[in-house]
Amino acid sequence: MIARGLITTPFSASSTADEVLEGVDLSGVRAIVTGASSGIGAETARALAAAGAEVTLAVRNTAAGRAVADAITGTTRVSPLDLADQASVGRFAGDWDGPLHLLVANAGVVTGGLERTRDGWELQFATNHLGHFALATGLHDALARGAEDRGEARIVSVSSTAHMRAGVDFDDLHFVRRAYDPQLAYAQSKTANSLFAVEATRRWAADGIFANAVNPGGIATGLQRNFTPAQKESLAAAEAAGTFTYKTLGQGAATTVVAAVAPQFARTGGHYLDDAQEAYTVPNDASLADHPHGVKEWALDPATAELLWVVSTKLAHG
């Protein structure tokens, strides 16, 4: 097998979403951005709408979502979506009408302690991965129609450098037996976000649907409000060591937008992007300190991705 080169773009860590979209006309593109009531999601929605896309803000807090939509120049609408509630996800997907060209799975939660959904699932995995998994599979036909319109439909799965901390523990996904560590739980969910992109592309590329995962980088958002002292200390230590630097919201949304619109990622998926480029792969025992812009093998492994899809289907769809 001939090794391929990594996909590169003209953009970098300092690029903004608006810079990525300069000269790009998204008229006719229908997009969904989850978690668009604040932070990176709101910035992503704003940038896409400014480029001409019709953007649906899929949010748990519809009042906050409407405030964001009111401030956006372009065509937007707000729809309720609680990713931790499978019934809410089902209603959203069932209510969607017409083609879908772009799904940005941006929403995420961080918990300071063990929380569970009504199904008994660990909240971070349930929200960050299972909710988005059910949403994407529920919208598959709409995405396929979108691909018929424009030659492809794209899914952007927002992961994190946190994936470097843990793979997916199939023996105890929901921390029933092992001691709960919120950082490991978050890491597991972010690895799952990347694995979703791998398997979704394998299964759906024939339908013109391609998924990629992105690390937006470090941005000060509401996501950190539930950090424990230990989590805050870990973040501060990473910043002091130079493995973590804060970006602006515009810079944080840039890599998402690259995966969403850049021609370099047309009709290709299963990649993990960092700082607007495809990231290089590192062994599972590599340290985050040494490879803050890498992606671990366990986050791209095809066999693991396929297993996660099977397990997720049983959980999300019974």
Side-chain angles (χ1 to χ4, degrees):
M1 180 181 294
I2 299 174
R4 65 170 182 84
L6 295 176
I7 298 173
T8 61
T9 77
F11 306 105
S12 68
S14 62
S15 299
T16 66
D18 286 336
E19 290 169 346
V20 174
L21 287 164
E22 186 175 354
V24 176
D25 183 2
L26 296 182
S27 299
V29 171
R30 303 183 75 207
I32 295 170
V33 182
T34 68
S37 60
S38 64
I40 303 172
E43 176 64 11
T44 300
R46 181 204 63 75
L48 293 172
E54 175 193 314
V55 183
T56 295
L57 284 64
V59 298
R60 186 172 55 180
N61 185 335
T62 53
R66 282 191 293 270
V68 171
D70 288 345
I72 288 177
T73 300
T75 304
T76 61
R77 66 176 181 140
V78 178
S79 294
L81 174 66
D82 183 352
L83 289 162
D85 181 348
Q86 289 288 306
S88 174
V89 175
R91 284 192 297 272
F92 182 98
D95 289 343
W96 184 265
D97 184 39
L100 174 63
H101 307 102
L102 173 61
L103 172 59
V104 180
N106 166 84
V109 297
V110 171
T111 65
L114 178 60
E115 298 181 44
R116 297 194 182 279
T117 68
R118 67 183 64 183
D119 295 304
W121 301 340
E122 190 276 320
L123 183 62
Q124 296 187 84
F125 189 76
T127 302
N128 302 347
H129 168 63
L130 289 173
H132 280 126
F133 173 84
L135 179 65
T137 53
L139 291 169
H140 168 270
D141 291 349
L143 287 161
R145 290 196 295 274
E148 290 176 359
D149 282 350
R150 302 181 66 88
E152 67 168 357
R154 299 193 193 188
I155 301 173
V156 182
S157 182
V158 178
S159 183
S160 167
T161 189
H163 87 274
M164 299 276 284
R165 294 181 181 273
V168 176
D169 186 340
F170 290 100
D171 292 327
D172 193 12
L173 285 173
H174 300 292
F175 289 84
V176 174
R177 293 178 296 278
R178 52 180 167 153
Y180 189 70
D181 182 330
Q183 289 181 289
L184 288 183
Y186 183 69
Q188 174 178 250
S189 74
K190 294 291 101 177
T191 293
N193 290 153
S194 180
L195 290 168
F196 166 80
V198 173
E199 184 65 6
T201 298
R202 187 186 74 83
R203 288 174 178 257
W204 295 348
D207 301 321
I209 303 168
F210 300 87
N212 286 298
V214 303
N215 169 31
I219 301 94
T221 69
L223 192 66
Q224 291 94 20
R225 64 180 174 271
N226 292 322
F227 273 18
T228 64
Q231 287 170 306
K232 292 176 182 177
E233 289 172 6
S234 176
L235 190 61
E239 187 178 9
T243 60
F244 175 88
T245 56
Y246 279 104
K247 293 182 177 182
T248 66
L249 282 176
Q251 291 167 340
T255 302
T256 294
V257 174
V258 165
V261 308
Q264 291 84 357
F265 289 93
R267 297 190 61 82
T268 185
H271 310 296
Y272 177 99
L273 285 68
D274 181 282
D275 285 348
Q277 313 291 327
E278 183 180 10
Y280 62 95
T281 305
V282 300
N284 291 335
D285 60 359
S287 72
L288 174 59
D290 291 335
H291 299 282
H293 301 289
V295 54
K296 285 201 172 179
E297 292 174 336
W298 62 37
L300 296 176
D301 179 66
T304 306
E306 184 176 11
L307 177 58
L308 179 63
W309 191 283
V310 172
V311 171
S312 300
T313 299
K314 290 178 180 178
L315 287 170
H317 300 298

